[in-house]
Amino acid sequence: ACHNDDNTVAIIRSGGIEAILLAMKLHDGSVLVQAAACRELSRLAENDDNRVTIVNSGGIDAVLLAMGRHEELHDLAYEVLDDLADGYNGNRIAVQSVLGL
């Protein structure tokens, strides 16, 4: 998809966020799947509407579970959470509350 707005819209319209979160759930033991999913969530979170959709679809919990299960993902997971908190107060509050900030 590589930062192409048309591709991003196609991903979102076809249920891409839900598919990413489902892959994270089904393959929670795979650091490769978790890392790829986190990177894609971070990329999709560049858009305000997508950030809200990701959070409302359980994205924060999915990222936290990945971070808890795979220590090597901590930095990437914090990046995703930071991206999700950007620009929308409701998301910022949600992320801060789960991180105890």
Side-chain angles (χ1 to χ4, degrees):
C2 229
H3 292 74
N4 179 308
D5 289 338
D6 291 336
N7 288 346
T8 299
V9 169
I11 289 168
I12 300 308
R13 285 190 179 154
S14 66
I17 290 171
E18 294 80 6
I20 292 166
L21 296 175
L22 180 60
M24 291 178 81
K25 181 178 181 179
L26 295 176
H27 303 283
D28 62 338
S30 170
V31 69
L32 295 176
V33 170
Q34 300 304 307
C38 282
R39 283 190 296 274
E40 188 61 18
L41 288 174
S42 181
R43 192 187 67 72
L44 291 172
E46 292 174 1
N47 173 286
D48 292 339
D49 293 335
N50 294 349
R51 280 194 292 274
V52 172
T53 301
I54 292 166
V55 170
N56 290 342
S57 299
I60 292 173
D61 289 339
V63 172
L64 288 173
L65 288 171
M67 184 169 69
R69 184 145 189 168
H70 303 284
E71 187 174 318
E72 60 268 46
L73 293 181
H74 280 207
D75 290 344
L76 178 57
Y78 275 113
E79 247 180 73
V80 176
L81 293 172
D82 187 53
D83 291 339
L84 291 175
D86 186 40
Y88 177 67
N89 198 40
N91 285 1
R92 186 172 18 266
I93 291 167
V95 169
Q96 288 173 343
S97 70
V98 298
L99 295 177
L101 302 175

